Each structure stands twice: as C-alpha cells, then as structure tokens.
Amino acid sequence: MKHKYLLLILPAVLLCLQACKKDPPNINTTITVVGKWQMTKHDLKLVKDGVQIGETIRTSYTKYDFTQYFSDGTGVQSAQRAKDAPSLNTFQYTLKNNVITQYVTGGAGVEETITKLTETEFAIHYESQIPDPSSSGKFNTEVDDYYFTRASL
C-alpha cells in the first residue's frame, strides 16, 4: 500500500518542481526596417505584353550605395554618382503590413512590396509602367527587385 501511495505522490511532486523552473528571458525579436541598409543587388526586368524582353542585374556597389530608414518616418538614399561623391536624397516613408511607401518632396508616394525582412537582409519589389519607345501610346512594365544587407554603423 505504501508503494501505491508513493507512486501517486511522486508524479505530483515532479509536476510541482517542473512548474517552479524559471521562465526563459523575454527577448524582443521585433525586426524593423529602421537602420542603414547597404545595396547588394538590383534586378531589373522589362516586360512587354506579358513577356519578359530584357533583364539587367547589377551587383557592383560601393559603400555610398545605401538607404537608411529612421524611426521618425524619414530616410536618406545615397548613390555613387561620381568618384567618391555620393548623391543624397531625403524622403519620408510609411509602413503598413508588407508595403513601404516612400514620399519624395513634391512627389506622389511610391509603393514597394517588402519581399524579405530579416535581422540582416531586406528586399523590396516594385513595378511601374513606362512608355514603349517603339509603340506610341503603349506601355511596358518595369519590374525592379532591390536587395540589401544591414550595414554596421
């Protein structure tokens, strides 16, 4: 009888001891676009009547080719234009779900879809209509995919 009683008590004691363990620390895993992102690749495709007719992939970038997002909804884009002389442009942005909209002073917002966002990688997709140079009044679709890695400050 003592053994049956002990077998009933032992699981209850073990359950209580298990419940007394400390919880793991609460780690904030929120990933955000805020920060400096170094451009690593730009894949540009040209589509006419639903058929891809061209593609250009650029992977050669300098330390001046970056986008930086600040927590107040503003940002800076930098691009290498001349030897060691970057071109800087400021913008405002909004973020809703996986769409980031960038606003340049005096211009309409440009909506880009975030296709990847991790602690170290960021990618956006953008499509626009551009005039077809061979057919007046017709448009082709330009598809831009931009890839970034988080830059250390």
Side-chain angles (χ1 to χ4, degrees):
M1 182 74 164
K2 283 184 181 180
H3 295 293
K4 288 182 183 178
Y5 182 68
L6 186 58
L7 289 175
L8 289 173
I9 298 288
L10 187 58
V13 170
L14 291 175
L15 183 62
C16 289
L17 289 175
Q18 178 69 21
C20 292
K21 286 186 177 180
K22 289 186 176 181
D23 291 333
N26 188 8
I27 299 170
N28 184 358
T29 58
T30 303
I31 299 173
T32 176
V33 297
V34 172
K36 185 175 181 181
W37 295 94
Q38 192 69 45
M39 177 82 81
T40 58
K41 180 180 176 182
H42 177 199
D43 185 355
L44 182 150
K45 295 178 182 79
L46 188 59
V47 179
K48 180 176 184 173
D49 298 325
V51 177
Q52 181 177 320
I53 60 172
E55 180 175 28
T56 302
I57 298 175
R58 179 178 173 204
T59 58
S60 175
Y61 292 95
T62 71
K63 64 182 180 181
Y64 300 113
D65 298 305
F66 67 86
T67 300
Q68 187 162 3
Y69 297 94
F70 301 106
S71 60
D72 66 355
T74 63
V76 176
Q77 275 186 326
S78 174
Q80 176 84 29
R81 295 292 182 235
K83 185 173 174 68
D84 294 329
S87 168
L88 294 173
N89 296 301
T90 59
F91 60 89
Q92 289 79 41
Y93 73 94
T94 59
L95 185 60
K96 183 174 182 181
N97 298 323
N98 68 331
V99 175
I100 188 164
T101 305
Q102 293 188 12
Y103 302 90
V104 180
T105 304
V110 175
E111 289 187 354
E112 300 169 320
T113 303
I114 297 173
T115 56
K116 184 173 192 173
L117 180 59
T118 69
E119 194 61 42
T120 58
E121 297 178 284
F122 177 45
I124 52 179
H125 176 86
Y126 174 69
E127 294 187 16
S128 60
Q129 299 296 305
I130 59 171
D132 184 337
S134 62
S135 299
S136 180
K138 292 199 175 193
F139 291 87
N140 295 329
T141 302
E142 181 177 310
V143 179
D144 293 286
D145 289 294
Y146 297 94
Y147 301 87
F148 303 86
T149 57
R150 190 175 296 275
S152 55
L153 296 175

PDB file of all heavy atoms in Angstrom, residues 122-139:
ATOM      1  N   PHE A 122      17.131  42.486 -46.406  1.00  0.00           N
ATOM      2  CA  PHE A 122      15.952  43.281 -46.734  1.00  0.00           C
ATOM      3  C   PHE A 122      15.823  43.284 -48.247  1.00  0.00           C
ATOM      4  O   PHE A 122      16.805  43.484 -48.962  1.00  0.00           O
ATOM      5  CB  PHE A 122      16.169  44.698 -46.188  1.00  0.00           C
ATOM      6  CG  PHE A 122      15.089  45.697 -46.490  1.00  0.00           C
ATOM      7  CD1 PHE A 122      13.749  45.403 -46.350  1.00  0.00           C
ATOM      8  CD2 PHE A 122      15.433  46.985 -46.888  1.00  0.00           C
ATOM      9  CE1 PHE A 122      12.763  46.352 -46.601  1.00  0.00           C
ATOM     10  CE2 PHE A 122      14.470  47.941 -47.140  1.00  0.00           C
ATOM     11  CZ  PHE A 122      13.131  47.623 -46.991  1.00  0.00           C
ATOM     12  N   ALA A 123      14.626  43.021 -48.769  1.00  0.00           N
ATOM     13  CA  ALA A 123      14.397  43.043 -50.215  1.00  0.00           C
ATOM     14  C   ALA A 123      13.043  43.681 -50.494  1.00  0.00           C
ATOM     15  O   ALA A 123      12.083  43.486 -49.744  1.00  0.00           O
ATOM     16  CB  ALA A 123      14.439  41.628 -50.793  1.00  0.00           C
ATOM     17  N   ILE A 124      12.995  44.474 -51.561  1.00  0.00           N
ATOM     18  CA  ILE A 124      11.741  45.115 -51.957  1.00  0.00           C
ATOM     19  C   ILE A 124      11.499  44.898 -53.450  1.00  0.00           C
ATOM     20  O   ILE A 124      12.426  44.736 -54.237  1.00  0.00           O
ATOM     21  CB  ILE A 124      11.710  46.627 -51.620  1.00  0.00           C
ATOM     22  CG1 ILE A 124      12.938  47.348 -52.176  1.00  0.00           C
ATOM     23  CG2 ILE A 124      11.585  46.852 -50.141  1.00  0.00           C
ATOM     24  CD1 ILE A 124      12.953  48.833 -51.907  1.00  0.00           C
ATOM     25  N   HIS A 125      10.218  44.902 -53.812  1.00  0.00           N
ATOM     26  CA  HIS A 125       9.768  44.666 -55.185  1.00  0.00           C
ATOM     27  C   HIS A 125       8.916  45.854 -55.610  1.00  0.00           C
ATOM     28  O   HIS A 125       8.058  46.315 -54.856  1.00  0.00           O
ATOM     29  CB  HIS A 125       8.951  43.375 -55.219  1.00  0.00           C
ATOM     30  CG  HIS A 125       8.348  43.080 -56.541  1.00  0.00           C
ATOM     31  ND1 HIS A 125       9.023  42.414 -57.541  1.00  0.00           N
ATOM     32  CD2 HIS A 125       7.110  43.354 -57.036  1.00  0.00           C
ATOM     33  CE1 HIS A 125       8.228  42.292 -58.588  1.00  0.00           C
ATOM     34  NE2 HIS A 125       7.065  42.853 -58.312  1.00  0.00           N
ATOM     35  N   TYR A 126       9.157  46.331 -56.828  1.00  0.00           N
ATOM     36  CA  TYR A 126       8.428  47.492 -57.334  1.00  0.00           C
ATOM     37  C   TYR A 126       8.148  47.290 -58.813  1.00  0.00           C
ATOM     38  O   TYR A 126       9.018  46.849 -59.567  1.00  0.00           O
ATOM     39  CB  TYR A 126       9.265  48.760 -57.115  1.00  0.00           C
ATOM     40  CG  TYR A 126       8.683  49.997 -57.724  1.00  0.00           C
ATOM     41  CD1 TYR A 126       7.520  50.568 -57.223  1.00  0.00           C
ATOM     42  CD2 TYR A 126       9.296  50.619 -58.806  1.00  0.00           C
ATOM     43  CE1 TYR A 126       6.978  51.714 -57.788  1.00  0.00           C
ATOM     44  CE2 TYR A 126       8.758  51.768 -59.381  1.00  0.00           C
ATOM     45  CZ  TYR A 126       7.609  52.306 -58.862  1.00  0.00           C
ATOM     46  OH  TYR A 126       7.066  53.440 -59.420  1.00  0.00           O
ATOM     47  N   GLU A 127       6.935  47.616 -59.233  1.00  0.00           N
ATOM     48  CA  GLU A 127       6.573  47.552 -60.652  1.00  0.00           C
ATOM     49  C   GLU A 127       6.023  48.890 -61.095  1.00  0.00           C
ATOM     50  O   GLU A 127       5.274  49.544 -60.359  1.00  0.00           O
ATOM     51  CB  GLU A 127       5.525  46.459 -60.899  1.00  0.00           C
ATOM     52  CG  GLU A 127       6.046  45.074 -60.652  1.00  0.00           C
ATOM     53  CD  GLU A 127       5.071  43.976 -61.043  1.00  0.00           C
ATOM     54  OE1 GLU A 127       4.097  44.267 -61.779  1.00  0.00           O
ATOM     55  OE2 GLU A 127       5.295  42.829 -60.621  1.00  0.00           O
ATOM     56  N   SER A 128       6.412  49.310 -62.310  1.00  0.00           N
ATOM     57  CA  SER A 128       5.927  50.582 -62.853  1.00  0.00           C
ATOM     58  C   SER A 128       5.686  50.437 -64.348  1.00  0.00           C
ATOM     59  O   SER A 128       6.224  49.548 -65.003  1.00  0.00           O
ATOM     60  CB  SER A 128       6.940  51.700 -62.588  1.00  0.00           C
ATOM     61  OG  SER A 128       8.186  51.399 -63.196  1.00  0.00           O
ATOM     62  N   GLN A 129       4.862  51.316 -64.857  1.00  0.00           N
ATOM     63  CA  GLN A 129       4.570  51.353 -66.287  1.00  0.00           C
ATOM     64  C   GLN A 129       5.435  52.436 -66.930  1.00  0.00           C
ATOM     65  O   GLN A 129       5.455  53.571 -66.464  1.00  0.00           O
ATOM     66  CB  GLN A 129       3.088  51.656 -66.528  1.00  0.00           C
ATOM     67  CG  GLN A 129       2.151  50.607 -65.936  1.00  0.00           C
ATOM     68  CD  GLN A 129       2.350  49.251 -66.593  1.00  0.00           C
ATOM     69  OE1 GLN A 129       2.276  49.117 -67.806  1.00  0.00           O
ATOM     70  NE2 GLN A 129       2.617  48.242 -65.780  1.00  0.00           N
ATOM     71  N   ILE A 130       6.135  52.070 -68.003  1.00  0.00           N
ATOM     72  CA  ILE A 130       6.978  53.034 -68.707  1.00  0.00           C
ATOM     73  C   ILE A 130       6.569  53.042 -70.183  1.00  0.00           C
ATOM     74  O   ILE A 130       6.132  52.024 -70.721  1.00  0.00           O
ATOM     75  CB  ILE A 130       8.482  52.717 -68.557  1.00  0.00           C
ATOM     76  CG1 ILE A 130       8.809  51.320 -69.100  1.00  0.00           C
ATOM     77  CG2 ILE A 130       8.916  52.826 -67.100  1.00  0.00           C
ATOM     78  CD1 ILE A 130      10.282  51.026 -69.180  1.00  0.00           C
ATOM     79  N   PRO A 131       6.691  54.197 -70.842  1.00  0.00           N
ATOM     80  CA  PRO A 131       6.304  54.263 -72.260  1.00  0.00           C
ATOM     81  C   PRO A 131       7.130  53.310 -73.118  1.00  0.00           C
ATOM     82  O   PRO A 131       8.341  53.170 -72.924  1.00  0.00           O
ATOM     83  CB  PRO A 131       6.596  55.721 -72.641  1.00  0.00           C
ATOM     84  CG  PRO A 131       6.640  56.457 -71.347  1.00  0.00           C
ATOM     85  CD  PRO A 131       7.131  55.482 -70.321  1.00  0.00           C
ATOM     86  N   ASP A 132       6.468  52.671 -74.064  1.00  0.00           N
ATOM     87  CA  ASP A 132       7.148  51.792 -75.014  1.00  0.00           C
ATOM     88  C   ASP A 132       7.734  52.681 -76.108  1.00  0.00           C
ATOM     89  O   ASP A 132       6.980  53.341 -76.843  1.00  0.00           O
ATOM     90  CB  ASP A 132       6.145  50.799 -75.598  1.00  0.00           C
ATOM     91  CG  ASP A 132       6.785  49.776 -76.530  1.00  0.00           C
ATOM     92  OD1 ASP A 132       7.876  50.048 -77.082  1.00  0.00           O
ATOM     93  OD2 ASP A 132       6.197  48.696 -76.702  1.00  0.00           O
ATOM     94  N   PRO A 133       9.068  52.722 -76.245  1.00  0.00           N
ATOM     95  CA  PRO A 133       9.663  53.620 -77.246  1.00  0.00           C
ATOM     96  C   PRO A 133       9.343  53.247 -78.686  1.00  0.00           C
ATOM     97  O   PRO A 133       9.427  54.079 -79.588  1.00  0.00           O
ATOM     98  CB  PRO A 133      11.165  53.505 -76.980  1.00  0.00           C
ATOM     99  CG  PRO A 133      11.346  52.220 -76.257  1.00  0.00           C
ATOM    100  CD  PRO A 133      10.073  51.949 -75.526  1.00  0.00           C
ATOM    101  N   SER A 134       8.921  51.999 -78.925  1.00  0.00           N
ATOM    102  CA  SER A 134       8.633  51.575 -80.296  1.00  0.00           C
ATOM    103  C   SER A 134       7.150  51.652 -80.652  1.00  0.00           C
ATOM    104  O   SER A 134       6.791  51.482 -81.808  1.00  0.00           O
ATOM    105  CB  SER A 134       9.145  50.148 -80.526  1.00  0.00           C
ATOM    106  OG  SER A 134       8.491  49.253 -79.668  1.00  0.00           O
ATOM    107  N   SER A 135       6.293  51.903 -79.662  1.00  0.00           N
ATOM    108  CA  SER A 135       4.851  51.961 -79.922  1.00  0.00           C
ATOM    109  C   SER A 135       4.251  53.133 -79.156  1.00  0.00           C
ATOM    110  O   SER A 135       4.030  53.050 -77.943  1.00  0.00           O
ATOM    111  CB  SER A 135       4.161  50.664 -79.492  1.00  0.00           C
ATOM    112  OG  SER A 135       4.657  49.565 -80.201  1.00  0.00           O
ATOM    113  N   SER A 136       3.975  54.196 -79.866  1.00  0.00           N
ATOM    114  CA  SER A 136       3.425  55.391 -79.242  1.00  0.00           C
ATOM    115  C   SER A 136       2.102  55.080 -78.544  1.00  0.00           C
ATOM    116  O   SER A 136       1.231  54.419 -79.102  1.00  0.00           O
ATOM    117  CB  SER A 136       3.211  56.468 -80.304  1.00  0.00           C
ATOM    118  OG  SER A 136       2.691  57.625 -79.720  1.00  0.00           O
ATOM    119  N   GLY A 137       1.974  55.526 -77.307  1.00  0.00           N
ATOM    120  CA  GLY A 137       0.750  55.325 -76.553  1.00  0.00           C
ATOM    121  C   GLY A 137       0.669  53.993 -75.816  1.00  0.00           C
ATOM    122  O   GLY A 137      -0.279  53.743 -75.094  1.00  0.00           O
ATOM    123  N   LYS A 138       1.657  53.122 -76.026  1.00  0.00           N
ATOM    124  CA  LYS A 138       1.671  51.834 -75.325  1.00  0.00           C
ATOM    125  C   LYS A 138       2.710  51.873 -74.201  1.00  0.00           C
ATOM    126  O   LYS A 138       3.640  52.672 -74.235  1.00  0.00           O
ATOM    127  CB  LYS A 138       1.986  50.683 -76.286  1.00  0.00           C
ATOM    128  CG  LYS A 138       0.876  50.451 -77.280  1.00  0.00           C
ATOM    129  CD  LYS A 138       0.986  49.095 -77.873  1.00  0.00           C
ATOM    130  CE  LYS A 138      -0.230  48.865 -78.768  1.00  0.00           C
ATOM    131  NZ  LYS A 138      -0.368  47.486 -79.135  1.00  0.00           N
ATOM    132  N   PHE A 139       2.508  50.963 -73.237  1.00  0.00           N
ATOM    133  CA  PHE A 139       3.401  50.931 -72.084  1.00  0.00           C
ATOM    134  C   PHE A 139       3.944  49.528 -71.846  1.00  0.00           C
ATOM    135  O   PHE A 139       3.291  48.540 -72.160  1.00  0.00           O
ATOM    136  CB  PHE A 139       2.658  51.395 -70.822  1.00  0.00           C
ATOM    137  CG  PHE A 139       2.311  52.857 -70.859  1.00  0.00           C
ATOM    138  CD1 PHE A 139       1.132  53.291 -71.452  1.00  0.00           C
ATOM    139  CD2 PHE A 139       3.169  53.794 -70.320  1.00  0.00           C
ATOM    140  CE1 PHE A 139       0.809  54.633 -71.504  1.00  0.00           C
ATOM    141  CE2 PHE A 139       2.854  55.134 -70.362  1.00  0.00           C
ATOM    142  CZ  PHE A 139       1.678  55.560 -70.956  1.00  0.00           C
TER     143      PHE A 139
END
